[in-house]
């Protein structure tokens, strides 16, 4: 009993309280989260990325407090395709809309689609992963084959067909629909990660212990198994955010995603190719924003991976 | 090993059926193919019934599925809603162009990734290593269609306005020059580079970390201890172990590459399958969309199967039973 009591304090590096009384070797007890945070902070690219991402979220959502979205959609033919200046820091587009405001408002939608689509993908991925990992039977077989099938059809092909075919009925450019479709087509890698984890976790002693205490399968999964799979899932989810942003941008760039005048980083690039010669800034800034966001999200994923790994050198 | 290969082939069959079923269901989801006729008042319900019987639409859905599958397998892919051309012919006309793009891109990817991967691993923590690593992080995060726009701006638009030799903005050859090898080569550079950057960046990361991992292993120490030059150890021993998993990686990447061709072929007006798919999507040309989707999925499954079998044949360490 005492031994297991000590085990549960394994993250407190100094388990014996009386050592503190002698005045030697005292170090503040380290919790799971403080050791996680300590390793994360030392991953400098991840820390910088976190700050940059927070800044982008605050800037793109905060701008709504000062100007309305109409200002970003305001067409000013007098100022068509004017180069970056003090008045228009990112220049104006082909109908004279201010690119700076559009980049900020576009960020709201691009970031929101990225985060929501990744959340949908994580929920489906965890559900499918745990179900298939825990019950190896016909359900496992069927769901795994569906996962394989969806992995074999290149995502952009299904995305285009779905947004085209169903979009005609639901309304092309419906943000919720596009978010949902992207989310529902990105869960397969997550479910595979979760499944692999569950397959090994369910054989471990603590699951046996829980079962012998009379735990129902549902409680074992939710309380004991799923929390242990979360570390790689969080890493996969951050990468999903970047992928979702690029998918939305590709769709909107092709003209199937969010429709003008609503700005997203992809839809702003939609007509940029026609003006590469005279107004290259139309193509430059939205793309740079996508690049910075995805870069930061990837670094964040790296940092989280290292921080979750107790063996990491950081 | 023969049983392993047989097992993998048998596993692939239900997967192919499932994929075809998903594609078939998406066709069904597009609605009643005769919906347009029901508006026509001159057609009686008898006429509609006769049309239904003619196209087999009065059959139960599973039978319709089997008929459709038979048609797809025998190369009867239907006709385009818009051009009235046979879908198979449209597809076969475009396929070689996408294959050219694929071949050039992957040659570029493998050569560049190998050189950079080996050099960064050998000179770990040098300035060169840091610069290439930074560049590959950038490459992985770059949306390929935006990179395409930037490359057009730099190498086609800017160089031309500066009066320097420039690359064409798109297409496969200049009409005035005709479809010569040199023309196609000039036109393929930009789209192939664009498609290569993201994949290449990931392979550089993979090859570098994989070589560094192998360097820690006992067989490398043994090889060094018996007096082999480090170059021999690298090229004769380490590279074999690094390149084998790369085959699997290429197989897994194929869907991503094909997705990329849709956008990149559209930007560069490259007359390949991706652009055909995109123009069909713009016109909601269902037969073309579905045929390409099914083909692409089948190719992906087969490619992965071949990669797995190749891996099993080439790598003697793993016993498959």
């Amino acid at each position: 009993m005492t031994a297991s009591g000590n085990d549960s304090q394994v993250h407190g590096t100094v388990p014996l309280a009386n050592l503190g009384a002698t005045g030697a070797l005292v170090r503040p007890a380290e919790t799971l989260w403080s050791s996680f945070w300590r390793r994360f902070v030392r991953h400098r690219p991840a820390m910088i990325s976190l700050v940059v991402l927070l800044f982008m979220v605050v800037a793109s959502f905060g701008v709504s407090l000062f100007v309305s979205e109409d200002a970003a959609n305001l067409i000013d033919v007098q100022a068509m395709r004017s180069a970056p200046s003090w008045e228009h820091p990112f220049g104006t587009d082909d109908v004279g809309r201010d690119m700076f405001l559009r980049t900020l408002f576009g960020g709201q939608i691009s970031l929101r689609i990225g985060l929501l689509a990744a959340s949908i993908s994580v929920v489906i991925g965890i559900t499918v992963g745990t179900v298939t990992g825990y019950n190896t039977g016909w359900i496992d077989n069927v769901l795994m084959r569906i996962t394989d099938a969806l992995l074999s059809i290149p995502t952009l092909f299904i995305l285009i067909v779905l947004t085209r075919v169903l979009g005609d009925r639901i309304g092309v450019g419906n943000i919720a629909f596009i978010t949902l479709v992207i989310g529902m087509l990105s869960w397969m890698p997550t479910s595979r990660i979760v499944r692999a984890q569950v397959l090994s976790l369910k054989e471990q002693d603590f699951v046996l212990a829980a079962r012998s205490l009379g735990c129902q399968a549902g409680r074992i999964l939710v309380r004991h198994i799923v929390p242990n799979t979360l570390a790689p899932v969080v890493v996969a989810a951050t990468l999903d955010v970047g992928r979702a942003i690029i998918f939305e941008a590709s769709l909107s760039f092709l003209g199937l995603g969010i429709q003008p005048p609503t700005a997203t980083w992809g839809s702003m690039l939609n007509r940029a190719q026609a003006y590469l010669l005279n107004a290259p800034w139309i193509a430059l800034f939205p793309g740079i924003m996508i690049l910075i966001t995805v870069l930061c999200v990837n670094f964040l994923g790296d940092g989280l991976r290292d921080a979750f790994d107790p063996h990491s050198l950081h | 090993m023969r049983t392993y290969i047989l097992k993998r082939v048998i596993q692939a069959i239900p997967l192919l059926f499932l994929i075809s079923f998903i594609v078939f269901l998406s066709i069904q989801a597009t609605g009643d193919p005769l919906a347009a006729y029901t508006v026509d008042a001159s057609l009686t319900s008898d006429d509609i019934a006769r049309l239904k019987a003619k196209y087999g639409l009065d059959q139960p859905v599973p039978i319709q599925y089997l008929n459709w599958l038979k048609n797809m397998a025998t190369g009867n892919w239907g006709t385009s809603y818009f051009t009235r051309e046979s879908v198979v012919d449209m597809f076969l006309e475009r396929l070689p162009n996408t294959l050219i793009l694929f071949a050039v891109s992957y040659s570029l990817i493998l050569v560049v990734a190998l050189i950079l991967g080996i050099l960064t691993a050998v000179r770990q923590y040098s300035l060169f290593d840091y610069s290439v690593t930074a560049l590959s992080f950038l490459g992985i995060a770059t949306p390929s269609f935006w990179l395409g726009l930037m490359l057009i701006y730099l190498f086609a638009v800017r160089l031309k306005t500066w009066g320097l030799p420039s690359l064409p903005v798109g297409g496969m050859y200049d009409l005035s020059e005709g479809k010569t090898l040199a023309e196609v080569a000039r036109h393929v550079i930009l789209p192939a580079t664009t498609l290569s950057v993201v994949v290449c960046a990931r392979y550089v990361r993979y090859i570098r970390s994989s070589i560094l991992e192998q360097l820690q292993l006992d067989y490398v120490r043994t090889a060094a201890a018996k007096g082999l030059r480090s170059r021999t150890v690298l090229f004769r021993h380490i590279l074999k172990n690094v390149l084998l998993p790369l085959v699997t990686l290429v197989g897994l990447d194929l869907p991503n590459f094909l997705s990329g061709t849709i956008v990149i072929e559209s930007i560069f007006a490259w007359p390949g399958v991706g652009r055909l798919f995109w123009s069909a999507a713009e016109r909601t040309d269902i037969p073309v969309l579905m045929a390409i989707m099914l083909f692409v999925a089948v190719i992906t499954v087969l490619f992965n199967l071949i990669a797995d079998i190749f891996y099993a044949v080439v790598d003697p360490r793993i016993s498959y039973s």
Side-chain angles (χ1 to χ4, degrees):
Chain A
M1 200 59 213
T2 357
S4 73
N6 277 341
D7 272 357
S8 70
Q9 286 189 0
V10 80
H11 288 282
T13 30
V14 187
L16 300 174
N18 53 3
L19 259 185
T22 65
L25 276 174
V26 176
R27 184 181 161 188
E30 200 175 39
T31 65
L32 189 61
W33 289 109
S34 72
S35 78
F36 167 82
W37 183 245
R38 183 172 52 82
R39 284 192 296 266
F40 183 78
V41 169
R42 289 208 197 146
H43 195 290
R44 205 167 299 153
M47 270 313 279
I48 297 172
S49 302
L50 187 65
V51 174
V52 173
L53 283 176
L54 284 177
F55 175 76
M56 285 172 96
V57 170
V58 170
S60 52
F61 286 91
V63 70
S64 295
L65 299 174
F66 301 102
V67 278
S68 76
E69 201 184 339
D70 297 336
N73 296 340
L74 182 77
I75 293 176
D76 179 5
V77 196
Q78 303 267 290
M80 225 162 57
R81 276 177 269 142
S82 39
S85 64
W86 279 115
E87 199 185 343
H88 301 290
F90 287 2
T92 61
D93 68 5
D94 52 320
V95 287
R97 293 179 289 219
D98 181 65
M99 290 285 291
F100 183 67
L101 280 181
R102 288 182 74 68
T103 306
L104 288 178
F105 278 99
Q108 283 187 14
I109 293 177
S110 296
L111 292 172
R112 205 162 55 196
I113 289 181
L115 287 173
L116 284 178
S119 318
I120 294 172
S121 136
V122 164
V123 171
I124 304 178
I126 290 182
T127 314
V128 174
T130 40
V131 168
T132 58
Y134 200 69
N135 315 310
T136 39
W138 67 271
I139 299 184
D140 170 47
N141 250 315
V142 170
L143 281 176
M144 282 314 288
R145 291 295 86 75
I146 292 178
T147 313
D148 286 347
L150 284 178
L151 273 175
S152 308
I153 310 178
T155 315
L156 199 57
F157 285 79
I158 323 184
L159 258 181
I160 288 178
V161 167
L162 282 182
T163 43
R164 187 74 231 181
V165 170
L166 297 178
D168 284 350
R169 279 179 236 166
I170 297 168
V172 178
N174 184 322
I175 298 178
F177 172 66
I178 288 171
T179 313
L180 194 69
V181 174
I182 295 179
M184 286 176 57
L185 291 175
S186 349
W187 53 267
M188 293 81 79
T190 314
S191 82
R192 285 202 160 171
I193 296 171
V194 174
R195 178 172 186 269
Q197 295 264 318
V198 172
L199 278 177
S200 79
L201 282 171
K202 74 175 180 185
E203 303 299 334
Q204 292 194 9
D205 287 342
F206 72 91
V207 174
L208 186 65
R211 200 177 298 141
S212 57
L213 285 171
C215 271
Q216 302 284 314
R219 188 183 159 84
I220 293 179
L221 281 178
V222 174
R223 294 295 301 266
H224 298 282
I225 290 187
V226 171
N228 277 303
T229 66
L230 285 185
V233 169
V234 170
V235 176
T238 45
L239 302 181
D240 273 351
V241 175
R243 265 165 49 94
I245 288 177
I246 290 193
F247 273 134
E248 183 277 320
S250 310
L251 270 185
S252 301
F253 171 71
L254 289 170
L256 273 181
I258 313 301
Q259 301 296 309
T262 309
T264 74
W265 292 335
S267 75
M268 292 166 70
L269 289 168
N270 178 245
R271 278 189 294 174
Q273 189 174 5
Y275 302 104
L276 274 180
L277 176 62
N278 298 318
W281 53 88
I282 301 179
L284 186 64
F285 292 107
I288 288 186
M289 297 310 281
I290 301 174
L291 175 61
I292 294 176
T293 312
V294 178
L295 190 65
C296 288
V297 163
N298 289 351
F299 277 134
L300 202 61
D302 270 10
L304 288 172
R305 192 194 321 256
D306 286 357
F308 277 124
D309 178 9
H311 306 298
S312 94
L313 296 173
H314 281 288
Chain B
M1 181 151 80
R2 187 165 296 159
T3 45
Y4 168 78
I5 293 176
L6 206 66
K7 215 169 95 188
R8 283 292 287 112
V9 173
I10 291 171
Q11 273 175 353
I13 292 170
L15 185 61
L16 288 173
F17 273 104
L18 189 63
I19 290 172
S20 68
F21 195 63
I22 293 176
V23 173
F24 177 74
L25 284 185
S26 350
I27 307 178
Q28 296 274 310
T30 59
D32 183 5
L34 295 180
Y37 290 102
T38 52
V39 190
D40 191 341
S42 66
L43 284 171
T44 63
S45 55
D46 277 356
D47 294 330
I48 301 282
R50 227 167 336 105
L51 274 175
K52 274 200 167 156
K54 186 184 170 203
Y55 291 112
L57 294 170
D58 54 345
Q59 307 278 343
V61 173
I63 305 285
Q64 285 192 36
Y65 167 68
L66 288 179
N67 281 336
W68 173 78
L69 202 61
K70 201 185 87 196
N71 282 334
M72 291 306 288
T74 52
N76 181 6
W77 291 5
T79 49
S80 154
Y81 283 174
F82 287 86
T83 60
R84 293 274 145 221
E85 270 177 278
S86 139
V87 176
V88 161
D89 291 347
M90 291 166 82
F91 177 78
L92 289 180
E93 190 193 324
R94 300 295 191 92
L95 187 61
N97 300 341
T98 295
L99 288 180
I100 293 176
L101 202 53
F102 176 79
V104 175
S105 302
Y106 264 88
S107 318
L108 204 68
I109 291 168
L110 291 178
V111 170
V112 174
L114 262 180
I115 295 175
L116 291 182
I118 292 174
L119 285 179
T120 48
V122 173
R123 302 187 189 157
Q124 194 189 5
Y125 301 139
S126 67
L127 182 64
F128 176 77
D129 179 25
Y130 281 126
S131 339
V132 172
T133 304
L135 279 179
S136 49
F137 269 112
L138 276 179
I140 292 169
T142 308
S144 58
F145 64 91
W146 180 69
L147 181 70
L149 294 181
M150 292 296 112
L151 291 182
I152 292 179
Y153 177 67
L154 269 181
F155 292 100
V157 176
R158 261 293 85 102
L159 284 186
K160 194 164 190 183
T161 54
W162 289 337
L164 293 169
S166 63
L167 290 166
V169 286
M172 205 173 163
Y173 51 89
D174 284 345
L175 289 174
S176 56
E177 301 284 332
K179 195 174 175 178
T180 61
L181 186 64
E183 270 299 291
V184 175
R186 235 162 57 83
H187 282 76
V188 84
I189 296 176
L190 283 185
T193 311
T194 313
L195 277 169
S196 305
V197 167
V198 179
V199 184
C200 193
R202 271 192 298 138
Y203 286 9
V204 171
R205 306 275 312 142
Y206 165 78
I207 293 172
R208 175 182 181 272
S209 64
S210 178
I211 290 180
L212 291 175
E213 202 176 297
Q214 298 285 331
L215 279 173
Q216 308 289 323
L217 297 181
D218 287 344
Y219 78 90
V220 175
R221 195 181 309 138
T222 311
K226 74 177 184 187
L228 290 182
R229 289 189 312 167
S230 55
R231 180 170 304 177
T232 322
V233 178
L234 180 65
F235 286 102
R236 291 284 299 277
H237 298 278
I238 296 181
L239 269 194
K240 271 185 201 163
N241 290 308
V242 171
L243 291 186
L244 277 183
L246 202 61
V247 178
T248 321
L249 210 60
V250 172
L252 290 174
D253 266 343
L254 193 66
N256 284 328
F257 180 86
L258 292 168
S259 289
T261 58
I262 301 178
V263 192
I264 299 307
E265 289 184 354
S266 302
I267 292 178
F268 289 97
W270 184 265
V273 175
R275 187 148 174 260
L276 178 66
F277 184 83
W278 171 237
S279 53
E282 279 188 310
R283 301 184 293 202
T284 328
D285 196 345
I286 306 285
V288 181
L289 288 180
M290 294 308 163
I292 295 180
M293 208 157 92
L294 189 62
F295 175 83
V296 159
V298 170
I299 283 293
T300 310
V301 173
L302 292 183
F303 209 88
N304 281 326
L305 184 65
I306 294 170
D308 277 3
I309 293 175
F310 175 82
Y311 200 70
V313 172
V314 177
D315 194 337
R317 283 172 307 182
I318 313 161
S319 68
Y320 298 94
S321 48

